[in-house]
Amino acid sequence: MQKIHAAITAVGGYVPEYRLTNAELETMMDTTDDWITSRTGIKERRILKGEGRGSSDIAVEAVKVLLAKRGIDATEIEMVICATTTPDMQFPATANVICDKVGMTNAWGYDLNAACSGFIFALTVGAQFIETGRHKKVIVVGVDKMSSIMNYEDRTTSIIFGDGGGAVLLEPNTDGYGLIDSILKTDGAGRAHLHQKAGGSVKPASIETVMAREHFVYQEGQTVFKFAVKNMADVAAEIMERNGLTAENVAWLVPHQANLRIISATADRMKLPTEKVMVNIERFGNTTNGTLPLCLWEWESKLRKGDNIVLAAFGGGFTWGSTYIRWAYDGQ
Ligand code: UT7
């Protein structure tokens, strides 16, 4: 019997309308468009405005796009895995909320938190349910409302993050297309350099934690940068080597969008020309779990059946990883 691979068969994405430009950031903090552009490659990021709106509201739009493209009903979905670092609430899982809002009444699901590597981790987990034959339609979401945990008085960290997300549908494929390989890594020692100090069980929310601004992202940018540059490039090179991939036969690199300099270092290591690298960081910034599916959504029309695609990410934890996909369909 032919091996079952989990193939992506549709992609949806969504970014909120509001554009937080570098020019607006200049009015909020001591920074310049020139500094942000040259250090990160970012020009603007999207922000979800409005009371009572969370990550699920972004995800719902992406999932609706995906279902419409594939021409299937929400009730056909069997499972939803939501990779997010900014869930709607501590519990229940945002996956549950998405299922309820979209009407995926026959699906079960849960959230997965691997920070910026979450989408790759969730893709690999979702693929297991397809490969084993357990499910035929699994949705993997990567979404974040990073503005909800951003301290706009911290000019080094806040300028890179934005809100947005995407979703992919996984279905079985027995012709050799789909997710072929993935390498996933974690190093908990890295948690010291990128985390949220309060709001968890170690330090529950209190007046003191709020006053100390401990519910925002704490990032030691330079340290994280050094680990990200090395590990994202290493893992992308490793997946190429063990799958016989070369700069010639790789069609696309889909890199996590944290900093243009990290993306360039990974592409250089893979010896890929810039035209094979998906980059939208200048318009969306770092949407954490949202970056990879947002790239796939934006580039979907250019993707061809049989394209070798390498995804790579690095994030808090530390977590990092790479995934090799043989693309299953011609984009429209
Ligand atoms: O997504 C998951 C993982 N996250 C990442 O991969 C992010 C990795 N880190 C980075 O991308 C970069 O470290 C940042 C973009 C966050 C920061 O860039 P950097 O080049 O590492 O800046 P820095 O912290 O080394 O600061 C350099 C200088 C400092 O001034 P002095 O001490 O040299 O006088 C900062 O005070 O730039 C100053 N600075 C700024 N100046 C203008 C820091 N932030 C700003 C700012 N505007 N927004």
Side-chain angles (χ1 to χ4, degrees):
M1 203 180 85
Q2 271 274 22
K3 178 176 168 29
I4 302 171
H5 286 106
I8 293 175
T9 56
V11 187
Y14 179 77
V15 286
E17 274 167 35
Y18 191 84
R19 294 161 195 262
L20 176 57
T21 62
N22 290 352
E24 187 176 349
L25 285 175
E26 284 177 1
T27 69
M28 296 161 60
M29 60 185 75
D30 181 16
T31 192
T32 60
D33 172 48
D34 188 48
W35 192 95
I36 299 172
T37 308
S38 61
R39 295 287 178 128
T40 69
I42 302 166
K43 288 300 229 181
E44 60 183 37
R45 60 296 285 144
R46 302 298 182 97
I47 303 294
L48 185 67
K49 297 270 188 181
E51 283 289 306
R53 302 180 78 201
S55 292
S56 71
D57 296 292
I58 298 170
V60 162
E61 297 307 319
V63 169
K64 282 182 182 166
V65 168
L66 176 158
L67 293 174
K69 263 190 199 163
R70 184 69 182 81
I72 57 173
D73 192 77
T75 54
E76 293 180 50
I77 303 303
E78 298 163 74
M79 183 183 192
V80 176
I81 305 176
C82 178
T84 187
T85 307
T86 51
D88 279 15
M89 302 168 222
Q90 190 81 355
F91 75 91
T94 301
N96 294 29
V97 182
I98 299 167
C99 287
D100 179 48
K101 288 183 176 173
V102 176
M104 295 186 281
T105 49
N106 293 315
W108 70 288
Y110 54 85
D111 291 358
L112 186 154
N113 184 354
C116 296
S117 311
F119 183 74
I120 285 188
F121 281 38
L123 200 59
T124 308
V125 174
Q128 308 300 306
F129 288 89
I130 299 286
E131 289 169 10
T132 57
R134 176 74 187 248
H135 290 314
K136 300 227 163 5
K137 286 185 172 53
V138 174
I139 286 182
V140 176
V141 174
V143 66
D144 271 301
K145 182 187 169 187
M146 292 306 291
S147 61
S148 65
I149 52 169
M150 214 37 63
N151 175 6
Y152 288 100
E153 290 179 8
D154 174 358
R155 65 175 183 169
T156 314
T157 303
S158 62
I159 50 106
I160 69 171
F161 290 99
D163 304 340
V168 299
L169 178 65
L170 296 178
E171 294 186 84
N173 183 294
T174 50
D175 297 324
Y177 299 98
L179 197 146
I180 307 298
D181 193 13
S182 62
I183 302 173
L184 309 175
K185 313 236 186 193
T186 59
D187 176 5
R191 69 189 183 281
H193 310 293
L194 179 50
H195 59 267
Q196 186 175 325
K197 292 194 180 296
S201 56
V202 167
K203 205 180 213 192
S206 67
I207 290 172
E208 288 73 29
T209 62
V210 172
M211 297 303 285
R213 301 186 154 258
E214 290 181 336
H215 297 272
F216 296 119
V217 173
Y218 169 83
Q219 175 172 261
E220 294 162 11
Q222 273 190 21
T223 307
V224 176
F225 184 91
K226 282 178 201 150
F227 277 96
V229 160
K230 181 175 183 330
N231 288 324
M232 208 165 111
D234 279 356
V235 79
E238 189 181 342
I239 209 159
M240 283 177 80
E241 197 177 319
R242 85 177 190 189
N243 288 282
L245 296 170
T246 64
E248 287 68 41
N249 64 22
V250 168
W252 295 100
L253 166 64
V254 191
H256 174 50
Q257 316 275 311
N259 188 314
L260 190 56
R261 292 181 287 147
I262 300 173
I263 296 172
S264 302
T266 304
D268 288 350
R269 181 73 177 280
M270 296 167 75
K271 300 190 169 52
L272 286 185
T274 47
E275 56 272 21
K276 287 188 174 187
V277 185
M278 297 186 191
V279 179
N280 55 17
I281 191 170
E282 72 282 2
R283 286 173 291 123
F284 302 150
N286 181 354
T287 54
T288 304
N289 288 274
T291 60
L292 298 178
L294 276 175
C295 281
L296 291 174
W297 170 59
E298 285 212 306
W299 268 263
E300 187 191 19
S301 64
K302 294 197 171 106
L303 304 181
R304 292 288 160 263
K305 188 173 180 176
D307 276 356
N308 291 320
I309 301 181
V310 174
L311 279 61
F314 181 90
F318 292 135
T319 57
W320 66 104
S322 186
T323 298
Y324 164 36
I325 296 171
R326 194 172 298 131
W327 198 251
Y329 61 100
D330 289 334
Q332 299 294 319

